[in-house]
Amino acid sequence: MGSQTGSTTRSAGPRRRVSAEDVARLAGTSQSTVSRVFSPGAAVSPALRQRVLEAARQLGYRPDAIARSLTLRRSRIVAVAMAHLDNLVYPELLERLSTALQAADYQILLFTADKGSTADPVFEQVMRYRVDGILLASTTLSSCFAGECRAAGVPVVSINRATDDPAIWSVTGDNERGGRAIAEFLLAGGHRRFAYLAGIEDSSTNRDRERGFAAGLAAAGREPPSRAVGNYSFAEAQRAARTLLARPDRPDALFCANDPMAIACLEVARHEFGLRVPEELSIVGFDDAAPAAWPSYALTSWTLDVAAMAEAAVGALLAQIEEPGRPAQRIVVPGRLLVRGSARRPPPDLWPQDAVDGLAPAEARPLAPAGAVP
Amino acid sequence: MGSQTGSTTRSAGPRRRVSAEDVARLAGTSQSTVSRVFSPGAAVSPALRQRVLEAARQLGYRPDAIARSLTLRRSRIVAVAMAHLDNLVYPELLERLSTALQAADYQILLFTADKGSTADPVFEQVMRYRVDGILLASTTLSSCFAGECRAAGVPVVSINRATDDPAIWSVTGDNERGGRAIAEFLLAGGHRRFAYLAGIEDSSTNRDRERGFAAGLAAAGREPPSRAVGNYSFAEAQRAARTLLARPDRPDALFCANDPMAIACLEVARHEFGLRVPEELSIVGFDDAAPAAWPSYALTSWTLDVAAMAEAAVGALLAQIEEPGRPAQRIVVPGRLLVRGSARRPPPDLWPQDAVDGLAPAEARPLAPAGAVP
DNA sequence: CTGAAAGCGCTTACAG
DNA sequence: CTGAAAGCGCTTACAG
């Protein structure tokens, strides 16, 4: 019938897209030349290039990245797995990863994982898209899949969650040091009954933060802190706080493994137990997510340098893509204790400002006006 | 030399992936059969299927979705453009979109847009991936691109932002009705000096919320509210609040076009102006993002049913993909006023609970304990 | 049920 | 600089 339908095999399906072939026909040249016009380095005579560009414009031609991926065996797609989107630190991380990746001309294939669960189920699908690399943010990939990635030569970098696998790159904050600094800060503040509210137990962030905290207390000859588990969840932290604060030996210093949990505890302490923060209870968080700075909380928190982490992670991934087989690194991004009003501050002589990485006096913002932290 | 490198054209590049051809060879069958084994509906004899599956397992074969996309002219990829990730409503939306899309076996190609800016720059790249559809959340696509999408037959649905283009599907909350309900609520609460803090001026959310609010006031014979602009930004809202609250005729009722701005205003009112909320100033937000429920804010806010919106948007997109050319719809997801403690509550006789969609008495949570909202 | 083959839309070595 | 052609890894009509 019509020569238009020359394709023998195809019939239904979405309408034909305009291809390089179409452009070539209109410009009176070959498909190869059209391709060259759209390939950055290729040599095409100015006149021909002009004609091709014009034809492409007329037809609304856009090179097909899918076909390109197939030919080049490079998709310029990076998979990003992320959980905990309710903790503002992650949306911020996602935004920065996106910006950095877009700048390098990579696209993001996003998959979200549930909190505790592994990223495996969707991962299988994602791998089929032949992504050039994988960024795992606070999610675990079962070691089985991690092995497959390595076998398939797909670079992986884990963000904010170290894996057991020494072959996998990771970018994390300085969790242990942060935990220790918080212990020292609270110790210097004269607190006596310490408590720790844990995040997800088997996460490296939790493990390292707690280890640092316990080590800091131990170094001062204190007993390990009392302990509850909030699994990085606001609601669970609220429940845990009710238990912790109802104890006869109520803690006077509480370190929560992330900010949302710290805010949850602060709310419970203030509104359910009528405690004054920090006079009767000091609370310290971790990550310095946006709400930590809101005056009602004025949360003292260890900073996670999300911008630096995103940059490091994307850099590490691109490096691996360019140069496969590079030995894995564990990148630790420094942070510092950002002192606000939610924890009693030590007298200046007991707490040399420079004892904590980068804590310049100017950074220690003034307490919110009286009444802010009732 | 080696027959392994039989490819004439290709040489460098990433190592060869295992293909259906490889599996076929090992299983002693044809590539077509391997393909059939991995195509849901296809008929293959049990014995052969078994052999193929076994060979695939041995080789770690995974069908290549990129190649599949090229053949089928369907990528099973949906582009999601999103901005305002610092407003928790959006991460929540993203998570739900992701879940819904993953359930339908679609992947998300994410691109983030800056607040004010249009999504155009990255959009060009994204279109090259031949996405099956586009979900725009609170971002504008220049009408030029929108037209191109239509021409290219790519379904688009706009979430939380209506476009001028009547051919584009949209899913929004009931912004105008929400604004009006808030006016009526504040009126019934006996307030006299109304103010409105605007979001991004040219966004439909802002326009509709303000229109509803002004209409509600006008219906009661009141003057238009005083007004400032916060552009949906926390920091800008803080600045705007300082101006608004310093006016000699300080408002006693302030409606902010989203929750982050409402929280910013609440903080400024309380901590910088020493105002008691809601006794001296009532504040109402919009969207009911997670922090609105935190006791320190107890923000009265119009709910955005993010779950319903995500479901509707994905449903609308999939419907368009299945059946192109369906006439566009504008889907409006109902919300309701969630009354908490940040705004003075009207006496029961002036504020029939059912005047606002779905506001059941049980939903009106008690005020936080004394001291919560000092 | 099974296999050979065309075609999806590109890139790029090869030979002018 | 330019074009013809092979090949990337699939799906599926066609002919057994």
Side-chain angles (χ1 to χ4, degrees):
Chain A
M1 317 281 172
S3 66
Q4 189 65 286
T5 326
S7 159
T8 357
T9 56
R10 198 81 21 257
S11 56
R15 97 179 68 175
R16 250 179 93 266
R17 288 317 203 341
V18 10
S19 73
E21 190 65 53
D22 303 321
V23 176
R25 203 154 30 228
L26 181 58
T29 181
S30 71
Q31 185 269 132
S32 336
T33 297
V34 174
S35 174
R36 286 197 187 93
V37 169
F38 288 92
S39 300
V44 183
S45 73
L48 231 195
R49 157 166 277 129
Q50 214 38 59
R51 260 170 39 225
V52 168
L53 251 19
E54 172 54 23
R57 205 194 48 67
Q58 261 183 54
L59 298 178
Y61 172 67
R62 220 188 311 260
D64 186 317
I66 292 282
R68 189 167 204 275
S69 303
L70 188 59
T71 306
L72 296 181
R73 277 105 109 234
R74 262 196 192 308
S75 58
R76 297 205 81 85
I77 294 179
V78 164
V80 173
M82 196 169 274
H84 304 282
L85 248 34
D86 55 321
N87 179 354
L88 271 174
V89 150
Y90 289 100
E92 191 193 335
L93 176 63
L94 182 58
E95 196 149 24
R96 291 192 184 268
L97 291 175
S98 170
T99 304
L101 253 6
Q102 284 172 5
D105 200 27
Y106 279 88
Q107 300 300 321
I108 289 183
L109 205 62
L110 177 74
F111 62 118
T112 57
D114 290 333
K115 292 210 156 185
S117 79
T118 165
D120 291 8
V122 224
F123 176 73
E124 178 61 33
Q125 290 305 315
V126 167
M127 282 300 280
R128 297 192 176 186
Y129 282 88
R130 302 298 186 240
V131 295
D132 291 343
I134 303 179
L135 254 20
L136 294 174
S138 264
T139 326
T140 357
L141 205 55
S142 70
S143 50
C144 147
F145 276 115
E148 273 194 63
C149 288
R150 200 135 30 87
V154 182
V156 179
V157 4
S158 179
I159 307 178
N160 215 20
R161 183 86 116 110
T163 38
D164 314 320
D165 192 335
I168 291 192
W169 291 58
S170 66
V171 176
T172 63
D174 202 345
N175 295 309
E176 184 157 359
R177 183 160 182 201
R180 189 173 180 119
I182 288 165
E184 288 163 0
F185 178 79
L186 292 171
L187 247 6
H191 299 87
R192 330 207 110 257
R193 296 177 307 282
F194 301 88
Y196 175 70
L197 182 56
I200 293 177
E201 295 265 22
D202 77 338
S203 65
S204 65
T205 44
N206 180 257
R207 208 184 334 100
D208 296 347
R209 289 166 194 183
E210 178 163 19
R211 183 189 303 135
F213 188 57
L217 294 181
R222 303 308 178 93
E223 300 195 338
S226 59
R227 185 174 196 283
V229 180
N231 282 320
Y232 289 140
S233 139
F234 193 94
E236 288 184 59
Q238 282 179 306
R239 287 193 286 275
R242 289 180 192 122
T243 307
L244 272 178
L245 298 180
R247 295 171 59 144
D249 58 335
R250 193 183 65 218
D252 63 350
L254 172 59
F255 167 34
C256 300
N258 76 359
D259 283 356
M261 294 201 302
I263 289 175
C265 289
L266 206 158
E267 294 283 14
V268 168
R270 221 180 247 169
H271 298 305
E272 297 182 21
F273 286 79
L275 295 175
R276 290 177 309 142
V277 175
E279 291 82 350
E280 299 174 273
L281 172 67
S282 285
I283 296 181
V284 176
F286 209 105
D287 290 350
D288 188 33
W294 297 351
S296 291
Y297 303 120
L299 206 61
T300 290
S301 189
W302 181 265
T303 61
L304 234 208
D305 190 341
V306 175
M309 288 178 70
E311 199 180 347
V314 170
L317 195 71
L318 298 186
Q320 281 183 85
I321 293 177
E322 318 284 90
E323 192 190 323
R326 270 184 150 213
Q329 293 176 25
R330 327 206 117 190
I331 301 171
V332 176
V333 173
R336 61 179 209 282
L337 190 65
L338 189 43
V339 177
R340 296 196 183 91
S342 69
R344 215 154 67 217
R345 302 169 76 164
D349 57 309
L350 272 184
W351 184 249
Q353 296 284 339
D354 49 284
V356 168
D357 178 10
L359 180 70
E363 310 265 15
R365 312 188 191 165
L367 279 165
V373 183
Chain B
M1 308 297 166
S3 66
Q4 189 64 285
T5 327
S7 159
T8 356
T9 55
R10 198 77 28 256
S11 54
R15 97 180 68 174
R16 250 180 92 265
R17 290 309 204 347
V18 10
S19 72
E21 190 64 53
D22 303 322
V23 176
R25 204 157 26 231
L26 180 58
T29 179
S30 71
Q31 185 269 132
S32 336
T33 296
V34 174
S35 174
R36 286 197 188 94
V37 169
F38 288 92
S39 300
V44 183
S45 72
L48 233 195
R49 156 166 279 129
Q50 215 38 59
R51 258 168 44 225
V52 168
L53 253 17
E54 173 54 23
R57 206 195 48 69
Q58 259 183 56
L59 298 178
Y61 171 68
R62 221 187 309 261
D64 186 318
I66 293 281
R68 186 164 206 276
S69 302
L70 188 59
T71 307
L72 295 182
R73 277 107 108 232
R74 263 197 191 308
S75 58
R76 296 204 83 84
I77 294 179
V78 164
V80 173
M82 197 169 274
H84 304 283
L85 249 34
D86 55 322
N87 179 355
L88 270 174
V89 150
Y90 289 100
E92 191 192 336
L93 176 63
L94 182 57
E95 196 150 23
R96 291 191 185 268
L97 291 175
S98 169
T99 304
L101 253 7
Q102 284 172 5
D105 200 27
Y106 279 88
Q107 300 300 320
I108 290 184
L109 205 61
L110 178 74
F111 63 118
T112 56
D114 291 333
K115 290 209 156 186
S117 79
T118 163
D120 291 8
V122 223
F123 176 74
E124 178 60 34
Q125 291 303 317
V126 167
M127 282 300 280
R128 296 191 177 186
Y129 282 88
R130 303 295 186 243
V131 295
D132 291 343
I134 303 180
L135 253 19
L136 294 173
S138 263
T139 327
T140 358
L141 205 55
S142 69
S143 50
C144 148
F145 276 115
E148 272 194 64
C149 287
R150 198 135 29 88
V154 182
V156 179
V157 4
S158 180
I159 307 178
N160 215 21
R161 184 87 117 107
T163 38
D164 314 321
D165 192 336
I168 290 191
W169 291 58
S170 67
V171 176
T172 63
D174 202 345
N175 295 307
E176 184 157 359
R177 183 161 184 201
R180 190 173 180 121
I182 288 165
E184 289 163 358
F185 178 79
L186 292 171
L187 247 5
H191 299 86
R192 329 207 109 258
R193 298 177 307 282
F194 301 88
Y196 175 71
L197 182 57
I200 294 176
E201 295 265 20
D202 76 339
S203 66
S204 66
T205 43
N206 180 257
R207 208 184 335 99
D208 296 347
R209 288 166 195 183
E210 179 163 20
R211 182 190 301 135
F213 189 57
L217 295 181
R222 304 307 178 94
E223 300 195 339
S226 59
R227 187 175 195 283
V229 179
N231 283 318
Y232 290 139
S233 140
F234 193 94
E236 288 185 58
Q238 282 179 307
R239 288 193 287 275
R242 288 179 192 123
T243 308
L244 271 178
L245 298 179
R247 296 173 57 147
D249 58 334
R250 193 183 67 219
D252 62 350
L254 172 58
F255 167 34
C256 300
N258 75 0
D259 283 355
M261 295 203 300
I263 288 175
C265 290
L266 206 158
E267 295 282 12
V268 168
R270 220 180 249 170
H271 298 304
E272 297 182 22
F273 287 79
L275 295 174
R276 290 178 307 145
V277 174
E279 291 82 352
E280 299 174 275
L281 173 67
S282 285
I283 297 181
V284 176
F286 209 103
D287 290 348
D288 188 33
W294 297 350
S296 291
Y297 304 120
L299 206 61
T300 290
S301 189
W302 181 265
T303 60
L304 234 209
D305 190 341
V306 174
M309 288 178 70
E311 196 179 348
V314 170
L317 195 70
L318 298 185
Q320 280 184 85
I321 293 176
E322 317 282 271
E323 191 190 325
R326 272 184 151 215
Q329 293 176 25
R330 326 206 117 190
I331 300 171
V332 177
V333 172
R336 62 180 209 280
L337 190 64
L338 189 43
V339 176
R340 296 196 183 90
S342 69
R344 216 155 64 216
R345 302 169 78 164
D349 57 309
L350 273 184
W351 184 250
Q353 297 283 340
D354 50 284
V356 168
D357 179 8
L359 180 70
E363 310 266 12
R365 312 187 192 167
L367 280 163
V373 183

